[in-house]
Amino acid sequence: ATSARYENILVDSPKPGVGLITLNRPRALNALSSALFAELNNALTEFDHDSTTGAIVLTGSEKAFAAGADIKEMKDLTFSDVTNINFIASWSSTIPHIRKPIIAAVNGHAHGGGCELALMADILYCSSSASFSQPEIKLGIIPGAGGSQRLTNIVGKSRAMDLILTGRSFSGVEAERWGVAARCFESAEECVNGAVDTAGKMAGMSRVAVRAAKEVVNKSQDLGLREGVEYERKTFHGLFGSKDQKIGTLLALTWPYTQAD
Ligand code: CO8
């Protein structure tokens, strides 16, 4: 992976098996433009296809994960413009098809589309300095990349209404308390390092099992309990056809794997 052909992002591999994408439009606090999303979608797809990568970390700077959609790009668009080009549809079309785990490491501002982008990740880590919001209501619009759905699924209807209808911010500490973030770290550096460590652990697991685990957890968001549990069992059965299952269960018989972290 190389950053050379990108203008809005940096790509790197900070440890074996881990792909790191850093949003890099510092002068606009990583505001999300169509150009940035084209690059992000491209980099994610490349890491997904790259056999040496097992998991992906997506981050921004210490000051901003992303301060939302680029207001300058949006301001003159009319209703016909946005429906004709199906505005921002392509922004959220790639991420749900990425099969490797994506961990968002959120520091600083994550507003509007930036908050929605973080919510699209499989796992969200943040630091206590993170500030999240869905401020669209203040611009006379509403969340447009899944915020009203994903945030509501996590925090519940009442809290989602409270946030989305006022546009108020919530902190990294609140994000962890409400289950928006899996972990809240004290500093930006610890947050990114923590995400890279977790990605490294996942990259060391059976690839086929990690892919299946991500898929079944995501199904829980779309399917009812009975169908979801059935889907899980079929996928579980399928894994008995993998070599990793044979090796993994054999190792589990001989190795005190539960104590080794
Ligand atoms: N778009 C374009 N430029 C931006 C944006 C943005 N969203 N946010 C910040 N910038 C630019 C500023 O214009 C400024 O540029 P310049 O120096 O040229 O004037 C530079 O970044 C630095 O910003 P500030 O000086 O304002 O920095 P502060 O530290 O004082 O404030 C804030 C930081 C509070 C984050 C402030 O910049 C702010 O309120 N930004 C706008 C946040 C916002 O309303 N975002 C929501 C946009 S709506 C949206 O995202 C719709 C979602 C659509 C779906 C997206 C799909 C993923």
Side-chain angles (χ1 to χ4, degrees), residues 69-150:
D70 192 322
I71 298 174
K72 289 162 198 151
E73 197 177 271
M74 280 196 304
K75 72 178 178 18
D76 295 324
L77 295 176
T78 65
F79 173 72
S80 1
D81 292 334
V82 292
T83 46
N84 285 339
I85 61 171
N86 202 2
F87 182 55
I88 71 167
S90 70
W91 296 18
S92 46
S93 62
T94 298
I95 294 177
H97 298 290
I98 300 296
R99 301 201 299 168
K100 290 173 185 166
I102 303 175
I103 306 175
V106 179
N107 297 298
H109 297 290
H111 304 300
C115 185
E116 291 173 301
L117 174 60
L119 292 170
M120 282 183 229
D122 298 306
I123 300 170
L124 197 163
Y125 283 1
C126 66
S127 62
S128 44
S129 73
S131 171
F132 298 85
S133 74
Q134 295 292 163
E136 291 86 349
I137 200 80
K138 296 181 186 168
L139 281 65
I141 49 175
I142 61 169
S148 67
Q149 309 301 299
R150 291 196 179 90

Side-chain angles (χ1 to χ4, degrees), residues 37-58:
F37 254 97
E39 294 184 3
L40 175 59
N41 288 342
N42 192 13
L44 285 168
T45 306
E46 279 194 359
F47 277 135
D48 207 30
H49 291 162
D50 169 28
S51 61
T52 65
T53 304
I56 304 163
V57 174
L58 173 62

Side-chain angles (χ1 to χ4, degrees), residues 153-210:
N153 284 349
I154 301 166
V155 303
K157 189 185 86 167
S158 180
R159 187 162 271 152
M161 292 279 191
D162 185 32
L163 296 168
I164 292 170
L165 276 59
T166 65
R168 75 176 175 83
S169 298
F170 56 101
S171 69
V173 175
E174 286 171 304
E176 187 191 35
R177 195 186 310 141
W178 299 341
V180 173
R183 295 177 67 180
C184 178
F185 294 82
E186 289 199 354
S187 72
E189 197 187 351
E190 283 172 74
C191 172
V192 176
N193 290 343
V196 168
D197 275 354
T198 299
K201 276 192 193 128
M202 290 173 181
M205 302 293 174
S206 158
R207 293 280 166 84
V208 68
V210 168

